[in-house]
Amino acid sequence: MFERPQGGERAVLVHVDLPAEADRESLQEFRELAVSAGVEPVAIITGSRAAPHPRYFVGTGKAEEIRAAVRDHRAEIVLFNHALTPVQERNLEKLFQCQVLDRTGLILDIFAQRARTHEGKLQVELAQLRHLSTRLVRGWTHLERQKGGIGLRGPGETQLETDRRLIGDRIRQLHRRLDKVDRQREQGRRARRRAELPTVSLVGYTNAGKSTLFNRLTAAGVHAADQLFATLDPTLRRVELPTGYPMILADTVGFIRHLPHDLVAAFRSTLQETRDADLLLHVVDAADERRQGNIEQVGQVLAEIGADRLPVLLVYNKIDRLPNGAPRVERDEQGRPVRVWVSAVTGEGIDSLLAAIDERLNADMARHRLHLPPTAGRLHARLHQMGVVHDERPADDGGWDLTVAMRGDDWQSLDRHEHISHYLWSEDAPRLAAAGDGP
């Protein structure tokens, strides 16, 4: 029995073409995943099958070809661009005498490397343990595992039961800790809702340029790189739109074809930022020939997390890589912006994107100029709490001259409860409440 290495750098990649559309994977994307995981692909074995082989996933002849490649290239790990069953993984490791990792395990490994925050590390560990719990047996095949009566039970059975219990305990502990983090996040979301700040969430296929675009819009300095899953942990920043209205912009983890369900479940609190958004910016790599398929894959993940009914603005990024790429805004029959072509690297089209976001979020927003007397301190504090004050100067009577911007329903609500319209004024008209006491 071989000792499985903790990690490998020299890797043999295995890709099989299957006729079923749901089982097809991209070889180019697989190579990018492998490089993102930090391995060096030394050989790529391809083939085609009508259906996966129950023992090796590939046929016996192809399995021997892979074993020869492992031996000739002194590979330390074999990566499959498919989901393997625990039995298939165990059989392949026994045949190749090296570690075997399927697509799900590879993505989990990348997430483990990229997680930086406490929450992100907890989420990745939870996903890894859920995945590992179905594969415990392969780590203990060197122990005897007999069935039978008293005295015939091998030590492997006891060890497996112990490991399953320990993993179950750890999963429950992680759930409790993530629930606590989720409650803290919910407090932040409630504060934003009280302040009535709209939230815009960046979504898209991994490596579409979301973090680069986020940095361009916010100057946040979030890590961005030309690799898959460069960013895992969500980042939120306040952004002023061209008309002066504020919004919260959220950068989240990228999606991918066949994103493991354990990851989607583990990142539920992170993805909550997407589900609660007022607008989704779906970032698309305009230079990627697979862009339409990627758009559909993102749509499937959004449906899985319950965010498929939110308003979406498509952002075609990386126009600098197109032969005749030019920034532009495309509109629907109602005149609303639905697609914006930009380059996050050069900054082309960014002003148009901000204007389109402004238009989609603030179709019914309006500016109002107010004079609040000193006795309207409660309303003054309420307006600041809502985050709608864009300009303020002290007035001669000890009050405030200010400019606010808010949606029509918010204005009507304040007018019902605070009679805010009594404080409207303009330089060409007398201040309605300048004398001091309000309505």
Side-chain angles (χ1 to χ4, degrees):
M1 182 61 189
F2 70 95
E3 290 293 331
R4 290 188 293 123
Q6 296 301 311
E9 293 186 351
R10 297 174 61 82
V12 172
L13 309 186
V14 180
H15 172 82
V16 178
D17 286 323
L18 298 169
E21 181 67 30
D23 296 329
R24 291 181 186 174
E25 305 290 359
S26 166
L27 178 58
Q28 177 185 342
E29 182 178 89
F30 181 43
R31 291 193 57 165
E32 293 173 358
L33 280 171
V35 172
S36 295
V39 303
E40 176 191 353
V42 294
I44 299 177
I45 307 296
T46 61
S48 60
R49 286 188 62 86
H53 191 281
R55 182 175 177 83
Y56 294 128
F57 190 89
V58 295
T60 54
K62 186 64 67 174
E64 289 296 333
E65 180 184 346
I66 298 170
R67 183 168 71 163
V70 170
R71 182 184 64 249
D72 295 343
H73 295 280
R74 299 188 303 277
E76 300 166 290
I77 188 170
V78 177
L79 303 177
F80 274 73
N81 192 21
H82 310 276
L84 301 176
T85 67
V87 172
Q88 288 169 341
E89 274 195 22
R90 191 162 63 249
N91 291 337
L92 290 167
E93 285 187 340
K94 184 177 180 180
L95 178 65
F96 301 154
Q97 293 295 295
C98 72
Q99 186 180 8
V100 174
L101 208 59
D102 68 355
R103 181 183 174 88
T104 299
L106 177 61
I107 294 174
L108 287 172
D109 182 77
I110 295 173
F111 270 58
Q113 294 180 41
R114 304 285 164 76
R116 294 291 180 268
T117 66
H118 174 64
E119 179 187 11
K121 292 176 181 178
L122 291 177
Q123 290 169 327
V124 171
E125 183 182 355
L126 176 60
Q128 287 179 318
L129 288 177
R130 284 173 168 169
H131 185 65
L132 176 63
S133 63
T134 64
R135 288 160 162 74
L136 267 181
V137 63
R138 68 174 184 166
W140 295 97
T141 50
H142 64 288
L143 296 177
E144 182 185 11
R145 297 181 67 251
Q146 299 180 14
K147 289 184 178 181
I150 301 294
L152 296 180
R153 302 182 190 277
E157 185 175 6
T158 302
Q159 183 64 60
L160 284 171
E161 291 175 351
T162 301
D163 285 351
R164 288 194 182 103
R165 177 175 52 79
L166 291 174
I167 286 180
D169 291 343
R170 179 60 177 168
I171 287 177
R172 285 188 289 273
Q173 182 184 13
L174 289 173
H175 273 300
R176 288 194 296 269
R177 295 170 69 178
L178 282 171
D179 286 343
K180 181 179 179 181
V181 174
D182 195 25
R183 288 194 297 272
Q184 293 171 344
R185 281 193 172 278
E186 182 58 31
Q187 290 176 354
R189 284 190 286 267
R190 283 199 300 267
R192 294 197 297 274
R193 285 194 292 267
R194 283 196 301 270
E196 302 184 10
L197 294 178
T199 300
V200 176
S201 182
L202 290 168
V203 300
Y205 210 77
T206 183
N207 205 30
K210 295 184 302 302
S211 295
T212 304
L213 180 61
F214 184 84
N215 288 335
R216 172 67 66 174
L217 293 172
T218 66
V222 170
H223 175 65
D226 187 15
Q227 60 185 16
L228 302 185
F229 300 119
T231 303
L232 292 189
D233 303 307
T235 306
L236 287 81
R237 292 290 187 274
R238 179 175 171 137
V239 177
E240 296 289 333
L241 293 169
T243 51
Y245 308 141
M247 72 170 183
I248 299 296
L249 186 65
D251 184 24
T252 58
V253 63
F255 300 148
I256 196 171
R257 174 185 287 267
H258 295 160
L259 189 66
H261 291 286
D262 287 337
L263 272 180
V264 175
F267 276 69
R268 69 189 191 283
S269 59
T270 300
L271 297 173
Q272 184 71 31
E273 300 295 347
T274 298
R275 291 196 296 269
D276 288 349
D278 297 281
L279 177 68
L280 299 182
L281 293 188
H282 183 169
V283 184
V284 181
D285 184 350
D288 192 339
E289 60 184 14
R290 304 163 295 176
R291 71 187 188 193
Q292 188 56 44
N294 293 348
I295 290 174
E296 294 171 0
Q297 289 298 319
V298 171
Q300 291 180 14
V301 178
L302 290 175
E304 187 174 348
I305 66 174
D308 53 326
R309 296 187 178 182
L310 296 175
V312 177
L313 177 63
L314 283 168
V315 181
Y316 284 85
N317 188 28
K318 304 185 182 181
I319 60 172
D320 54 293
R321 298 186 180 182
L322 296 177
N324 299 309
R328 64 184 185 273
V329 178
E330 299 177 7
R331 298 177 178 272
D332 61 10
E333 294 81 1
Q334 288 77 38
R336 297 179 307 170
V338 291
R339 284 178 291 275
V340 185
W341 298 71
V342 305
S343 171
V345 171
T346 66
E348 293 179 278
I350 296 300
D351 291 340
S352 298
L353 173 60
L354 285 170
I357 296 172
D358 207 342
E359 189 174 341
R360 289 292 299 267
L361 284 178
N362 305 311
D364 64 339
M365 293 282 275
R367 283 179 176 267
H368 305 278
R369 303 184 68 194
L370 305 173
H371 170 75
L372 300 183
T375 54
R378 185 179 66 176
L379 177 58
H380 179 255
R382 175 78 180 278
L383 292 172
H384 276 283
Q385 184 184 36
M386 293 173 63
V388 297
V389 178
H390 295 276
D391 179 63
E392 179 179 327
R393 298 187 305 275
D396 296 338
D397 62 355
W400 308 270
D401 291 335
L402 42 84
T403 303
V404 299
M406 65 180 71
R407 293 181 175 86
D409 53 353
D410 295 332
W411 176 268
Q412 293 172 9
S413 176
L414 276 178
D415 199 31
R416 284 195 304 270
H417 297 94
E418 304 284 353
H419 305 289
I420 191 172
S421 61
H422 288 269
Y423 303 112
L424 282 168
W425 70 281
S426 69
E427 295 188 2
D428 299 327
R431 301 181 184 182
L432 297 179
D437 292 334

